[in-house]
Amino acid sequence: MTPTPNQEAAPARRGPIVAYLAAGILLSLVAAWLLLLTTPDARDDERAFTTAPACTAPGGAGSDCLRTVTAVLDRTEKETGRKTPSYWLYLTEADGTSTRTRIESDLERLPAARAGANIEVTYWQDQIRYVDIGPDRHYTNADPRKSFRLPLSIGLLLGIWGATFLTAAAATAWSRRRSPRAFPWQVGLTVTGGTFLTLFGAMAAWNSDNIGDALQLTGVACGVVLGLCALIAPFLHRRHRGDDTIALKPSVPAEEACFPGLIMGEVPYAGHAGYLVAGPGVLATTPDPTGAFHRKAAPRTLTPLRVRPPYLTDPTGRPDYDGRAVVVECEDNGVPVLVVTRKKDAPAVLGALGPVPGR
């Protein structure tokens, strides 16, 4: 039995919803792990380090106290490929232990950082956390202070994106009953608002001294973004209600132009060629980006009916051109034909085919 158009459209309509739901759930789970486990653990390490006392008894290397030992600076090695000056320090401690640690500092401006110099290194939980070179203290790459900011920033970013995708799934499910558009304005507004919110959430994490302040700032930003979306939504609703026809004026190029495009339908000149050639009275498909070879010309009987946005019910394989695609609905002796191209190239298609009837 041949499926009806509605049956054929069902998988296409469900596809974006399933994709949004899968992405939203996955990102939300990762964000929950970062925000509920990794970030609090990093914050606890920071508190423990900043309040740790100096070790008073020997053998405190594995404890939570700060153990400071003297060492000789054997040599330094600059790490390349970094914007911030970063150096590896190769050390030999008083007991003969050789080790190394990395600091972000310009050692060329520190005369005390020379080979053979005596320095002090401070351990906490078996890692060097900072070194004292002369009167200057330099924290190493194992410094736990503010280490919560990275997982907090990533967690907020992924969490907001997860919520954005889940909202986009709901918006797609709601809008698909009212419009066949492949890219409804409700989803576009949701993604735009979510993008601004993720950027603000990431910045709030890097500019906050604790988790609570970052969450509070993100919550305020969320309220502002939702308010702006609520103000913009009625305007977009009025703009997109009614007919989906896009008004474009035909433009006949002085010479043939080649651009991305595709002709779809049960006609011999359709196919997945990838490019269209448009000129005075000429419209053809070709796999050649220059438009010179392997062309399949459309007959003069191909008549444009209207220009519209992509629909979920369009045939499989319709290109989106990064959201810039439009569809020129045509017919050829009663056979439906779709010409898909970018919006900026659609006037050339109309110029090659002739004016839309009634315009």
Side-chain angles (χ1 to χ4, degrees), residues 7 20 95 108 113 127 141 143-144 186 205 217-218 233 296 298 340:
Q7 289 173 327
Y20 288 141
D95 61 358
E108 296 177 359
Q127 294 189 64
N141 60 323
D143 179 17
Q186 294 90 344
L217 288 173
T218 304
K296 290 183 179 180
V340 186

Side-chain angles (χ1 to χ4, degrees), residues 7 15 24 86 96 119 135 155 163 172 175-176 211 219 263 271 276 278 296 305 315 344:
Q7 289 173 327
S86 178
I119 65 175
T172 303
S175 63
R176 72 176 188 175
I211 301 173
I263 295 179
L276 295 176
K296 290 183 179 180
L305 302 178
K344 69 176 184 178

Side-chain angles (χ1 to χ4, degrees), residues 85-233:
S86 178
Y87 284 83
W88 283 101
L89 308 182
Y90 291 83
L91 313 168
T92 300
E93 298 179 12
D95 61 358
T97 302
S98 296
T99 185
R100 72 171 187 169
T101 189
R102 181 165 59 85
I103 63 173
E104 290 187 354
S105 182
D106 190 357
L107 295 186
E108 296 177 359
R109 299 183 179 181
L110 297 175
R114 64 184 185 278
N118 291 321
I119 65 175
E120 291 184 340
V121 298
T122 299
Y123 283 87
W124 181 71
Q125 293 186 349
D126 293 332
Q127 294 189 64
I128 300 176
R129 307 296 177 160
Y130 58 84
V131 298
D132 292 314
I133 305 176
D136 301 313
R137 174 165 293 177
H138 302 275
Y139 286 87
T140 70
N141 60 323
D143 179 17
R145 300 175 309 156
K146 311 301 181 186
S147 60
F148 72 92
R149 286 179 172 175
L150 180 60
L152 177 60
S153 175
I154 298 176
L156 286 176
L157 189 148
L158 296 182
I160 295 170
W161 266 119
T164 298
F165 281 123
L166 293 176
T167 305
T172 303
W174 181 85
S175 63
R176 72 176 188 175
R177 301 182 181 182
R178 295 162 176 80
S179 172
R181 283 174 172 259
F183 307 104
W185 66 264
Q186 294 90 344
V187 176
L189 182 61
T190 299
V191 173
T192 301
T195 301
F196 280 108
L197 196 55
T198 54
L199 296 176
F200 189 90
M203 290 189 297
W206 282 108
N207 292 280
S208 299
D209 292 328
N210 56 69
I211 301 173
D213 288 346
L215 295 178
Q216 187 175 12
L217 288 173
T218 304
V220 172
C222 183
V224 172
V225 170
L226 289 176
L228 291 175
C229 289
L231 293 175
I232 297 173

